């Protein structure tokens, strides 16, 4: 998994980068293949106080999760964004896990009747 952490109009210290990076590493517990994550921290907005943290998670099969979180503190914005990402990944993991593809073995006697069908009679 590749991680990209960028600051726009905001100086990112090493402690902020490490905090965000370690939080993103915790997202692997859902056993989903995360291809890459992009984190953009924007600041110095003249209209509003605080920072805007945008987290983009690219999953396999062309699925993308985008989370935007605005807060006055960078650490709380990162924590809230990671909590929201965990919730979204948990929902997606449950969706993938609950989707069952039935095979002929799971169908039992009905599948055996279809397999025994002679195509010459048709």
């Amino acid at each position: 998994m590749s991680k990209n952490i960028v600051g726009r109009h905001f100086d990112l210290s090493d402690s902020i980068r490490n905090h965000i990076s370690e939080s993103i590493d915790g997202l692997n517990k859902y056993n989903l293949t995360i291809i890459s994550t992009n984190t953009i921290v924007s600041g110095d907005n003249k209209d509003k106080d605080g920072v805007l943290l945008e987290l983009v998670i690219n999953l396999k099969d062309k699925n993308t999760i985008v989370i935007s979180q605005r807060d006055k503190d960078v650490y709380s914005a990162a924590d809230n964004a990671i909590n929201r990402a965990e919730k979204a990944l948990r929902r997606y993991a449950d969706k993938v896990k609950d989707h069952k593809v039935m095979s002929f073995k799971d169908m039992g006697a009905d599948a055996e009747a279809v397999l025994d069908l002679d195509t010459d009679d048709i």
Side-chain angles (χ1 to χ4, degrees), residues 81-122:
I82 293 297
N83 288 339
R84 291 176 58 198
E86 287 178 351
K87 186 176 181 180
L89 289 173
R90 184 174 57 245
R91 285 182 179 174
Y92 182 71
D94 290 342
K95 179 181 171 183
V96 170
K97 184 175 74 172
D98 289 341
H99 180 74
K100 296 180 182 176
V101 177
M102 294 202 47
S103 66
F104 281 120
K105 292 179 183 177
D106 296 336
M107 291 182 169
D110 295 334
E112 291 174 7
V114 172
L115 290 175
D116 293 337
L117 185 66
D118 190 14
T119 57
D120 295 335
D121 296 337
I122 299 178

Side-chain angles (χ1 to χ4, degrees), residues 16-27:
I16 293 171
R17 286 183 190 269
N18 290 337
H19 178 73
I20 293 173
S21 178
E22 289 172 2
S23 298
I24 290 173
D25 287 338
L27 297 177

Side-chain angles (χ1 to χ4, degrees), residues 14-57:
D14 290 336
S15 63
I16 293 171
R17 286 183 190 269
N18 290 337
H19 178 73
I20 293 173
S21 178
E22 289 172 2
S23 298
I24 290 173
D25 287 338
L27 297 177
N28 288 327
K29 66 182 176 184
Y30 294 104
N31 295 327
L32 297 172
T33 306
I34 299 175
I35 296 171
S36 66
T37 60
N38 295 323
T39 307
I40 302 167
V41 181
S42 301
D44 286 340
N45 191 351
K46 296 178 182 176
D47 296 336
K48 297 182 181 178
D49 294 333
V51 295
L52 174 68
L53 189 135
E54 184 175 341
L55 178 62
V56 179
I57 302 170

